[in-house]
Amino acid sequence: MNTPLHPLRPIMIVDDEASILLAIDTTLQMAGLNNTITCQDSRRVMDMLAENPVELMLLDLNMPNVDGHRLLDDVRLEYPDVPVIIVTGAVDVETAVRCIKAGAFEYIVKPVEADRLVTAVNRAVSYQELKRENQSLRRHMLRTDLENPEAFGRIITRNRKMILLFQYVESIATTSQPVLVQGETGVGKELIARAIHCLSGLKGGFVAVNAAGLDDTVFSDTLFGHVKGAYTGADTPRGGLIEQAEGGTLFLDEIGDLTPVSQVKLLRLLQEGEYFPLGADVPRSAKARIVAATNHRLSALLSQGRFRKDLSYRLQTHRIYIPPLRERLDDIPQLLDHFLADAASRLNKSTPPVPRELEALLSSYAYPGNVRELESMVFDAVSRHRSGVLSLDTFKSHISRGESSSGALPASPASDADPPITFSHKLPTIKHATRILIEEAMRRTGGNQSLAAKILGISQQALSKRLKKQQRCP
């Protein structure tokens, strides 16, 4: 397997001493920064930059032909987006101040400490990624369409919230930072994770693992693998999923269910970019993008002490919240058409005609199981269908069971404490509030009195009387 390059654009190392070039290059390679080019002749630097865009430059000051001070000025003038880290034997404060004023990103004194060098380079790489992300976000804010709609082809929607979410995904997909996807069960968190991978440009594969129910040993063995003899029965070494995802994306679903010990291991993976296979004494470098997902509200888990704050901070560099289906009911018609056609195809049937009331009925339900629940409802109804118009009975039965068993639905993260109804400073009268509720119920059900009465918890006769009374007394 070919090792993926990191960063995507090369790090340019400029020094007139071959031994220094080799030492710096080796240090970076050992830290996983394996995309480098070196230059021993300072006269070639500007030509090399013209031929090959770079992520950043490590530059010596004291060189023959063209010294580092002049090169720093030239690079800052012609390639202002390239961070320049000065690596020099000059230790005086005046030189350091002059370089920083000239635009140097960092100043490191020889002999170079490996940790400081790697830290400075990683900071410059992160700075470049953040800058590109901000540019992408600004570009997407000015757009009303998607650059790569095909990446979201498996997500059926026309909802404006979802389109804005897709635009955000497009803007962050190429960064190397972790992504946290939040949303209730059945909203399509893995589909979003796959879209991120599709847009990332990564050459490796997409590897998914559900962390729910995994104890610490199984989690470690599944994710990190083991060496020979790590435990009884481990007769041969085995690579974990993080190794399988090398150069690609590792999707960790239900990370809110991880045990405290497993959370520590995941934190090390995110923080240090390395892990220990079971039974190993030497860490291995992780070269996969991490996308995590949970249907829990992390704020609640944090307040209960069930989730580490430092892990939460690491995961939330990029955070995506997928709204539940009840908050995007305008997707119901499109989803219904798609699931009807899909169910008919899988059952080798013709797509049945649907009654006019079906869309209104489906729009009156809260969907605790979200899109996945709607898909199951449609498949069940089509499998029972024999002839004529598709029956409403299966849908009504499912909705009745769902409403009696689901209880209160969770609030979205953006509105944890919001009441279901808000008022202006002046409260409406009971009569006015009743009129508003009835009008909203009729709007949601497309004027279907039977469904509107069901939503309001009254009989159809009672609703009919109230509607007639409202018509007489507008």
Side-chain angles (χ1 to χ4, degrees), residues 13-26 37-41:
I13 310 168
V14 183
D15 200 296
D16 62 309
E17 296 185 43
S19 59
I20 298 294
L21 289 176
L22 178 61
I24 293 176
D25 189 31
T26 301
I37 55 175
T38 59
C39 178
Q40 194 173 349
D41 186 348

Coordinates of all heavy atoms in Angstrom, one line a residue, residues 13-26 37-41:
I13 N 12.5 22.6 1.8 CA 13.6 22.8 2.8 C 14.8 23.4 2.0 O 15.3 22.8 1.1 CB 14.1 21.5 3.5 CG1 12.8 20.7 4.0 CG2 15.1 21.7 4.6 CD1 13.1 19.3 4.4
V14 N 15.3 24.6 2.4 CA 16.4 25.3 1.7 C 17.5 25.5 2.7 O 17.4 26.1 3.7 CB 15.9 26.6 1.2 CG1 17.0 27.3 0.4 CG2 14.6 26.5 0.4
D15 N 18.7 24.8 2.4 CA 19.9 25.0 3.2 C 21.1 24.6 2.3 O 21.0 23.7 1.4 CB 19.8 24.1 4.4 CG 20.8 24.5 5.5 OD1 22.0 24.5 5.2 OD2 20.4 24.9 6.6
D16 N 22.2 25.3 2.5 CA 23.4 25.0 1.6 C 24.2 23.8 2.1 O 25.1 23.3 1.4 CB 24.3 26.2 1.5 CG 24.8 26.6 2.9 OD1 24.0 26.8 3.8 OD2 26.1 26.8 3.0
E17 N 23.8 23.3 3.3 CA 24.6 22.1 3.8 C 23.7 20.8 3.7 O 22.6 20.7 4.2 CB 24.9 22.3 5.3 CG 25.8 23.5 5.6 CD 26.2 23.6 7.1 OE1 26.5 22.5 7.7 OE2 26.2 24.7 7.6
A18 N 24.3 19.9 2.9 CA 23.6 18.6 2.7 C 23.2 17.9 3.9 O 22.2 17.3 4.0 CB 24.4 17.7 1.8
S19 N 24.1 17.9 5.0 CA 23.8 17.2 6.2 C 22.6 17.8 6.9 O 21.8 17.1 7.5 CB 25.1 17.2 7.1 OG 25.4 18.6 7.4
I20 N 22.5 19.1 6.9 CA 21.3 19.8 7.5 C 20.1 19.4 6.8 O 19.0 19.1 7.4 CB 21.5 21.3 7.5 CG1 22.7 21.7 8.4 CG2 20.3 22.0 8.1 CD1 22.6 21.3 9.8
L21 N 20.1 19.4 5.4 CA 18.9 19.0 4.6 C 18.5 17.6 5.0 O 17.3 17.4 5.2 CB 19.2 19.1 3.1 CG 19.4 20.5 2.5 CD1 19.8 20.4 1.1 CD2 18.1 21.3 2.6
L22 N 19.4 16.7 5.1 CA 19.1 15.3 5.4 C 18.5 15.2 6.8 O 17.5 14.5 7.0 CB 20.4 14.5 5.3 CG 20.2 13.0 5.6 CD1 19.2 12.3 4.7 CD2 21.5 12.2 5.6
A23 N 19.1 15.9 7.8 CA 18.6 15.8 9.2 C 17.2 16.4 9.3 O 16.4 15.7 9.9 CB 19.6 16.6 10.1
I24 N 16.9 17.5 8.7 CA 15.6 18.1 8.8 C 14.6 17.2 8.0 O 13.5 16.9 8.5 CB 15.6 19.5 8.2 CG1 16.4 20.4 9.1 CG2 14.1 20.0 8.1 CD1 16.5 21.9 8.6
D25 N 15.0 16.7 6.9 CA 14.1 15.9 6.1 C 13.7 14.6 6.9 O 12.6 14.2 6.9 CB 14.7 15.5 4.7 CG 13.7 14.8 3.8 OD1 12.5 15.1 3.9 OD2 14.2 14.0 3.0
T26 N 14.7 14.0 7.5 CA 14.5 12.8 8.2 C 13.6 13.0 9.4 O 12.7 12.2 9.7 CB 15.9 12.2 8.7 OG1 16.7 11.9 7.6 CG2 15.7 10.9 9.5
I37 N 10.5 18.5 -0.4 CA 11.5 18.7 -1.4 C 12.6 19.5 -0.8 O 12.4 20.4 0.0 CB 10.9 19.4 -2.7 CG1 10.2 20.8 -2.3 CG2 9.9 18.5 -3.4 CD1 9.8 21.6 -3.5
T38 N 13.8 19.3 -1.3 CA 15.0 20.0 -0.7 C 15.7 20.8 -1.8 O 15.6 20.4 -3.0 CB 16.0 19.0 -0.1 OG1 16.4 18.1 -1.1 CG2 15.3 18.2 1.0
C39 N 16.4 21.8 -1.4 CA 17.1 22.7 -2.3 C 18.4 23.1 -1.6 O 18.4 23.8 -0.6 CB 16.3 23.9 -2.7 SG 17.2 25.0 -3.8
Q40 N 19.6 22.8 -2.2 CA 20.9 23.1 -1.6 C 21.4 24.4 -2.3 O 22.3 25.0 -1.7 CB 21.8 22.0 -1.8 CG 23.1 22.1 -0.9 CD 24.0 20.8 -1.0 OE1 23.5 19.8 -1.5 NE2 25.2 20.9 -0.5
D41 N 20.9 24.8 -3.4 CA 21.4 26.0 -4.2 C 20.3 27.0 -4.1 O 19.2 26.9 -4.7 CB 21.6 25.6 -5.6 CG 22.3 26.7 -6.4 OD1 22.3 27.9 -5.9 OD2 22.7 26.5 -7.5

